[in-house]
């Protein structure tokens, strides 16, 4: 597979890369044996393993090139990303999923899908790249919150989880170069403990006299799909990737056999939802907070955000109150 990407904003996306699986004509294994699916020889098994390893190495190289391009040019719009969603990346995504997770509306479990996995993934890869892949509705489920209320979750179908994970791996190469340092939620290599450490350091080392602890109500289920599309287009110029994301956002929810449209937000519990939420808050909140702190504040301000939870420390009370008022207006503007 050729993973040389064509990522310049002024060029068209390069062609689809669809790997072909051909029977091995060497040694004692005939084409008929390859077609009939007989047990491969040890030699062919080794060749298959080596081929898979090479495909995964190629996938990693391709992702690294995306990362380097995103770091090098903060204004670059990536017009050719879908070819990075290879069979190797889909396979890695499948094995990254929780094996005992509840099935979605398709009823497929991880163990069932693993049966004849190679053919399933090649078919899924083909449908994704031909544009015939269809996202299924999320299955509605509820978990009990600490305050006694129920939190709605959306359980995606297994193939949706696989593709979402793979696309998320590609997009993370871009957005991990864009996200700001005070954002900690749902990011590779960052945890709640890292966020707490940053907060402790800020409070103890900066002139913090007033603390604002804020939470965005129903952030995952509230953001505007129209604004989400606009924010994504700042960096993503590959229309096929954008269409995939739109399919997931517009797939709706199935509850008790009844389908309902999701006119806003993304199902909490979906594999791609945390990344989309971070992208939305990056443009709505993080960049704005950074600008507000630089242009409007006279005293010291610290910021730590974990997903939709935000803690700010202010030197002056008047600036904390002014920020809170401006922040509420900002959230209303963008549907939060």
């Amino acid at each position: 597979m050729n993973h040389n990407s064509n990522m310049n904003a002024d060029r068209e996306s390069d062609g689809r890369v669809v790997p072909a699986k051909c029977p091995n004509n060497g040694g004692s294994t005939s084409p008929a044996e390859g077609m009939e699916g007989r047990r491969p020889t040890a030699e062919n098994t080794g060749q298959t393993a080596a081929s898979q390893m090479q495909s995964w190495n190629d996938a990693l190289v391709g992702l690294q090139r995306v990362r380097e391009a995103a770091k090098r040019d903060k204004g670059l719009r990536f017009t050719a990303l879908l070819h990075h969603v290879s069979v190797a990346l889909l396979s890695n995504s499948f094995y990254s999923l929780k094996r005992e997770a509840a099935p979605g509306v398709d009823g497929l479990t991880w163990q069932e899908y693993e049966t004849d996995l190679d053919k399933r993934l090649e078919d899924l890869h083909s449908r994704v790249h031909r544009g015939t892949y269809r996202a299924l509705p999320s299955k509605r489920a509820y978990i009990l919150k600490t305050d006694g209320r129920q939190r709605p979750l959306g359980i995606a179908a297994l193939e949706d989880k696989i593709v979402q994970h793979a696309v998320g791996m590609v997009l993370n190469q871009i957005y991990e170069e864009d996200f700001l340092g005070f954002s900690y939620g749902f990011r590779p290599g960052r945890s709640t403990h890292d966020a707490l450490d940053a907060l402790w350091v800020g409070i103890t080392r900066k002139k913090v006299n007033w603390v604002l602890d804020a939470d965005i109500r129903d952030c995952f289920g509230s953001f505007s799909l129209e604004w989400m599309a606009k924010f994504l287009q700042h960096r993503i110029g590959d229309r096929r990737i954008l269409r995939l994301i739109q399919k997931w956002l517009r797939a709706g929810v199935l509850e008790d056999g009844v389908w309902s449209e999701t006119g806003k937000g993304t199902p909490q519990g979906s594999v791609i939802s945390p990344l989309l939420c971070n992208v939305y808050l990056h443009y709505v909140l993080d960049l704005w907070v950074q600008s507000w702190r630089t242009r409007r504040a006279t005293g010291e301000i610290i910021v730590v955000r974990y997903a939709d939870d935000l803690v700010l420390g202010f030197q002056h009370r008047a600036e904390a109150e002014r920020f809170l008022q401006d922040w509420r207006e900002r959230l209303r503007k963008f549907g939060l």
Side-chain angles (χ1 to χ4, degrees):
M1 293 187 294
N2 180 12
H3 286 276
N4 291 329
S5 58
N6 187 6
M7 297 176 290
N8 294 328
D10 57 347
R11 298 181 184 177
E12 294 296 326
S13 299
D14 51 5
R16 304 185 185 94
V17 179
V18 183
K21 186 175 181 181
C22 301
N24 191 322
N25 292 330
S28 60
T29 305
S30 70
E33 289 174 335
M35 294 299 291
E36 292 173 1
R38 294 185 184 178
R39 182 180 300 276
T41 64
E43 179 183 0
N44 290 338
T45 301
Q47 291 173 350
T48 301
S51 176
Q52 291 174 344
M53 180 60 68
Q54 184 60 48
S55 296
W56 176 238
N57 289 336
D58 290 343
L60 291 179
V61 170
L63 294 179
Q64 182 60 34
R65 288 173 178 167
V66 174
R67 185 73 173 252
E68 292 170 355
K71 182 177 182 179
R72 187 168 55 247
D73 187 350
K74 297 295 185 179
L76 178 64
R77 293 182 72 239
F78 291 81
T79 60
L81 289 173
L82 187 63
H83 69 277
H84 292 289
V85 182
S86 60
V87 174
L89 195 63
L90 292 173
S91 177
N92 175 267
S93 295
F94 171 76
Y95 283 106
S96 298
L97 299 178
K98 294 181 179 179
R99 286 155 170 73
E100 303 303 326
V105 297
D106 57 348
L108 268 177
T109 65
W110 189 95
Q111 290 76 11
E112 290 171 338
Y113 199 86
E114 190 183 25
T115 304
D116 211 8
L117 180 63
D118 290 344
K119 289 184 178 180
R120 290 182 185 269
L121 291 181
E122 287 176 6
D123 175 67
L124 176 59
H125 175 269
S126 176
R127 283 182 279 126
V128 167
H129 284 258
R130 286 187 288 111
T132 59
Y133 158 82
R134 295 290 179 265
L136 296 178
S138 297
K139 184 171 71 174
R140 176 67 75 209
Y142 295 90
I143 60 172
L144 191 64
K145 299 176 64 175
T146 55
D147 59 5
R149 294 182 298 165
Q150 288 188 321
R151 183 192 302 276
L153 296 180
I155 303 175
L158 186 60
E159 286 194 336
D160 292 335
K161 291 179 182 179
I162 296 171
V163 183
Q164 287 180 19
H165 188 282
V167 170
M169 287 186 67
V170 176
L171 296 184
N172 263 327
Q173 309 310 310
I174 300 169
Y175 289 111
E176 279 302 305
E177 295 298 332
D178 291 356
F179 291 156
L180 302 187
F182 58 75
S183 168
Y184 287 88
F186 306 117
R187 294 182 58 187
R190 293 189 166 212
S191 67
T192 52
H193 295 290
D194 296 320
L196 290 172
D197 288 344
L199 185 59
W200 183 86
V201 170
I203 290 176
T204 56
R205 297 185 182 179
K206 298 291 184 178
K207 298 176 182 178
V208 172
N209 300 313
W210 303 90
V211 174
L212 172 62
D213 183 8
D215 175 82
I216 302 174
R217 188 189 304 273
D218 191 24
C219 179
F220 282 87
S222 299
F223 65 69
S224 162
L225 300 187
E226 289 72 23
W227 278 113
M228 182 81 255
K230 292 178 181 178
F231 294 149
L232 287 169
Q233 289 172 26
H234 283 304
R235 279 298 231 169
I236 311 303
D238 191 330
R239 290 174 293 180
R240 299 168 297 172
I241 291 289
L242 295 174
R243 281 196 295 269
L244 277 175
I245 295 174
Q246 286 299 314
K247 286 180 180 181
W248 296 323
L249 293 177
R250 302 284 185 181
V253 174
L254 195 67
E255 183 174 5
D256 296 329
V258 179
W259 179 85
S260 59
E261 183 180 7
T262 49
K264 58 182 181 179
T266 181
Q268 190 166 351
S270 170
V271 174
I272 198 70
S273 291
L275 174 59
L276 295 181
C277 185
N278 268 337
V279 171
Y280 200 87
L281 293 181
H282 172 73
Y283 289 102
V284 171
L285 185 60
D286 295 356
L287 294 178
W288 175 78
V289 168
Q290 182 173 257
S291 176
W292 198 99
R293 179 169 56 177
T294 302
R295 298 181 180 182
R296 302 201 60 183
T298 58
E300 292 190 1
I301 298 179
I302 65 167
V303 186
V304 176
R305 180 176 72 80
Y306 192 94
D308 53 1
D309 292 312
L310 184 72
V311 178
L312 297 99
F314 296 85
Q315 183 177 355
H316 306 303
R317 175 172 178 169
E319 290 187 348
E321 293 175 341
R322 189 186 317 128
F323 176 88
L324 181 58
Q325 180 180 355
D326 293 347
W327 185 54
R328 284 171 172 166
E329 294 177 359
R330 177 80 175 174
L331 292 184
R332 281 194 293 268
K333 176 182 178 181
F334 291 98
L336 296 174

